[in-house]
Amino acid sequence: MGYYVTTPIYYVNAQPHMGHAYTTIAADVLARHMRQRGEDVFFLTGTDEHGEPVALAAERAGTTPKQLADENAARFEALMPQLEASNDFFIRTSDPRHGARVQEVMQRVHDNGHTYLGTYEGWYCPRCADFKSDSEIAAGNTCPIHHIPLDREQEENWFFRLSAFQEPLERLLAQGSPFVAPVARLNEARSFVEQGLRDVSLSRGKLSWGVPVPWDPDHVFYVWFDALLNYVTALGFAREGKDLTGTFWPADVHLIGKDILKFHAIYWPALLMAAGLELPRRLFVHGFLLMDGEKMSKSLGNVLDPFAVMEQFGTDALRYYCFREVSFGQDGSVSTAGFEARYANELANEYGNLASRTLAMIARYRGGVVPQAALDAELAADFDGLAGEVAALLDRVELSQALEAIWQRVRRLNRYVEERAPWVQAKDAAQADALDVTLATLAEGLRAITVLLHPYMPLSTHKLLDALGRPELSYDGAALAATGWGGAVGALEPLFPKPQ
Ligand SMILES: [Zn+2]
């Protein structure tokens, strides 16, 4: 079995922004970490391209939905290498291979008796492409997300018998269930189910931009059903001539934002059950990064624009900050001043400076060769169990806690430099062995935390491991060992220089 992680597919009508970067980077951290552990990983992201919002925008722009989707999807596809995302595939729901598989799965849902034709009337948000239930309508019949008036719509639709899955969903979302994390989101999903599930529209009759319903081609599938199915369909055609479904389905983790909880925690498992497919193992629901425009930096202004951050400070710095300022899974404030403070204090000073100092002392005191010496037992004890702890945290998608555990050791190594004062040891021939221990322990500690930090900061950790002459990334190397040294270390440019 492999390890399968997904982001939501991004709706092509939006410009790529911080929220897209956030989820993508989180999925990439998990994918890279699992690859280090030797897992066969599949990391999927992509774009959601059907539905009324795209059709309307294309009409306004005097173009076709397909053309508009092509243009906009390209911006999201280009975002992936910019973020250093190591996705194994980028799915686009306008791909006919996706459409064909959506039809196959939905035909099974239909054949299993979970659909019927009916008339739907309700309040509809064209931007959400969603009918709102009573509890989701804001004052004055407006959308609570988009703050625009809802439309009263009535149309003949195919319906999905969501109500038939009331009990299975109550069991799936019972207290203590691992299916949705964090627990506050599990509770939110359960309370939605406990209000009583009503059947939902499966198709739209007035729209042509979508996947046609195979048993009633005047209808296209409602965009949400087509979109959710991407997680399954992609495995069927991501690799030419090879079906990966047996290797990777069910998914290990769907990462989602809290705004799409209902679709993923309720509609999605019900749809899979209706089709006779296995359920994903876990949804991890992250919060929103709220911009605190008050805390403003000189170089970045008041809006934390991921593109400006990457241009001036590098991709690694953005990736690091995402999980450092706000605990992953919670809502919290980010700011350009907060970013710059962490860049200067933590990345440049605590980590970058530790790396430069360590390499400089090895060059100065030992001719650029890490001595083969026993490790300092006291320091090594502070690293005991770290690799296992980080792995266990990342198994639970606790990205911020795992990063914090690693960072405590970055700080521990900085204290170790001060405690041992190698510049004093170097002046005393009687302390030559002690200096060997200091330098070997520092190099090894730095190497091990760099292996652990690699999923968060792939570029700078590569540079540092290369400079140490120990480029291997395998998770076996995340624990301290006194072996492997004796080779020459190289030069290292500052990992986190002052911005231009
Ligand atoms: Zn809306």
Side-chain angles (χ1 to χ4, degrees):
M1 283 305 290
Y3 178 86
Y4 182 23
V5 59
T6 67
T7 72
I9 47 175
Y10 302 127
Y11 204 63
V12 279
N13 256 14
Q15 293 279 351
H17 57 61
M18 191 65 198
H20 305 112
Y22 190 42
T23 324
T24 306
I25 295 168
D28 190 58
V29 170
L30 294 174
R32 287 178 183 272
H33 168 78
M34 289 299 174
R35 286 192 203 106
Q36 285 185 291
R37 281 163 62 180
E39 295 280 350
D40 186 10
V41 170
F42 198 81
F43 164 19
L44 181 69
T45 187
T47 40
D48 177 7
E49 305 186 6
H50 287 135
E52 192 169 18
V54 173
L56 289 174
E59 206 178 285
R60 279 197 302 272
T63 180
T64 65
K66 173 67 175 143
Q67 218 162 12
L68 183 71
D70 285 349
E71 284 164 24
N72 292 356
R75 294 195 308 240
F76 284 93
E77 222 166 338
L79 176 67
M80 300 305 152
Q82 276 183 287
L83 296 173
E84 293 297 322
S86 61
N87 52 301
D88 295 283
F89 190 59
F90 187 96
I91 188 173
R92 296 186 50 194
T93 56
S94 65
D95 189 323
R97 297 173 296 179
H98 166 73
R101 283 171 173 83
V102 167
Q103 290 183 322
E104 276 169 35
V105 176
M106 294 310 292
Q107 184 69 52
R108 256 190 278 165
V109 172
H110 180 65
D111 293 345
N112 290 343
H114 297 298
T115 65
Y116 62 90
L117 194 61
T119 302
Y120 191 89
E121 187 178 344
W123 293 104
Y124 181 82
C125 172
R127 300 260 308 272
C128 291
D130 187 24
F131 281 100
K132 299 289 168 183
S133 70
D134 294 345
S135 61
E136 293 175 306
I137 297 172
N141 286 325
T142 57
C143 170
I145 298 165
H146 295 106
H147 311 291
I148 56 171
L150 298 170
D151 300 330
R152 192 70 187 172
E153 294 241 9
Q154 188 188 49
E155 63 176 46
E156 188 172 69
N157 283 172
W158 282 92
F159 279 74
F160 172 57
R161 289 189 202 280
L162 182 63
S163 60
F165 295 91
Q166 178 80 30
E167 279 173 34
L169 286 173
E170 280 175 7
R171 280 197 296 277
L172 179 68
L173 299 169
Q175 245 167 36
S177 163
F179 185 66
V180 179
V183 71
R185 301 296 167 208
L186 174 69
N187 294 343
E188 192 182 325
R190 188 174 55 251
S191 87
F192 187 90
V193 175
E194 282 168 356
Q195 289 168 34
L197 292 173
R198 283 191 288 175
D199 296 344
V200 292
S201 291
L202 188 71
S203 72
R204 311 261 353 245
K206 291 183 194 159
L207 196 67
S208 59
W209 180 234
V211 177
V213 174
W215 63 89
D216 186 355
D218 290 342
H219 287 241
V220 296
F221 287 111
Y222 186 51
V223 63
W224 270 104
F225 286 89
D226 149 25
L228 285 165
L229 279 165
N230 92 88
Y231 301 129
V232 171
T233 66
L235 296 174
F237 64 93
R239 294 290 172 269
E240 196 68 44
K242 205 171 167 192
D243 191 337
L244 301 174
T245 315
T247 312
F248 292 107
W249 192 260
D252 292 270
V253 181
H254 289 318
L255 286 177
I256 62 168
K258 62 175 186 174
D259 51 332
I260 51 177
L261 177 68
K262 180 180 75 177
F263 295 98
H264 283 80
I266 295 160
Y267 293 12
W268 180 224
L271 184 66
L272 288 166
M273 287 186 238
L277 291 166
E278 276 189 86
L279 305 190
R281 297 203 169 85
R282 180 188 293 268
L283 308 178
F284 189 92
V285 188
H286 66 71
F288 288 157
L289 298 179
L290 312 166
M291 297 284 174
D292 184 345
E294 301 284 296
K295 296 183 196 155
M296 197 192 309
S297 90
K298 280 201 195 98
S299 53
L300 289 165
N302 63 351
V303 175
L304 195 75
D305 168 12
F307 299 98
V309 169
M310 289 191 284
E311 198 183 306
Q312 291 184 50
F313 294 87
T315 301
D316 279 2
L318 175 71
R319 292 173 61 111
Y320 173 82
Y321 183 69
C322 280
F323 308 106
R324 200 64 184 141
E325 189 82 354
V326 175
S327 183
F328 193 60
Q330 311 298 315
D331 288 339
S333 290
V334 294
S335 67
T336 54
F339 168 81
E340 278 211 34
R342 290 203 187 258
Y343 183 85
N345 300 336
E346 298 180 2
L347 290 177
N349 197 24
E350 292 177 340
Y351 183 55
N353 204 20
L354 173 69
S356 332
R357 275 171 109 183
T358 301
L359 286 165
M361 289 189 290
I362 292 165
R364 187 175 318 142
Y365 304 138
R366 290 295 178 265
V369 173
V370 180
Q372 286 177 301
L375 299 181
D376 189 316
E378 200 183 320
L379 188 285
D382 289 337
F383 278 65
D384 270 354
L386 174 64
E389 181 190 351
V390 168
L393 286 166
L394 291 180
D395 283 342
R396 299 199 303 273
V397 199
E398 304 280 12
L399 274 75
S400 296
Q401 286 85 338
L403 183 54
E404 171 59 22
I406 304 165
W407 212 258
Q408 283 171 12
R409 274 57 170 211
V410 173
R411 290 177 174 160
R412 177 69 189 93
L413 287 172
N414 278 303
R415 287 199 306 276
Y416 185 69
V417 176
E418 301 307 316
E419 287 162 17
R420 299 282 289 190
W423 48 91
V424 176
Q425 293 176 324
K427 285 183 190 147
D428 179 358
Q431 291 200 58
D433 288 349
L435 179 59
D436 280 349
V437 168
T438 305
L439 295 178
T441 304
L442 269 178
E444 178 61 8
L446 183 60
R447 189 199 57 74
I449 52 174
T450 301
V451 168
L452 290 169
L453 284 172
H454 173 72
Y456 295 90
M457 298 190 283
L459 297 174
S460 36
T461 52
H462 260 308
K463 281 187 208 160
L464 177 49
L465 291 172
D466 281 348
L468 287 167
R470 298 284 302 277
E472 64 273 22
L473 289 171
S474 155
Y475 209 71
D476 299 337
L480 296 200
T483 53
W485 294 105
V489 300
L492 181 70
E493 297 282 304
L495 291 175
F496 300 99
K498 286 221 162 70
Q500 302 305 310

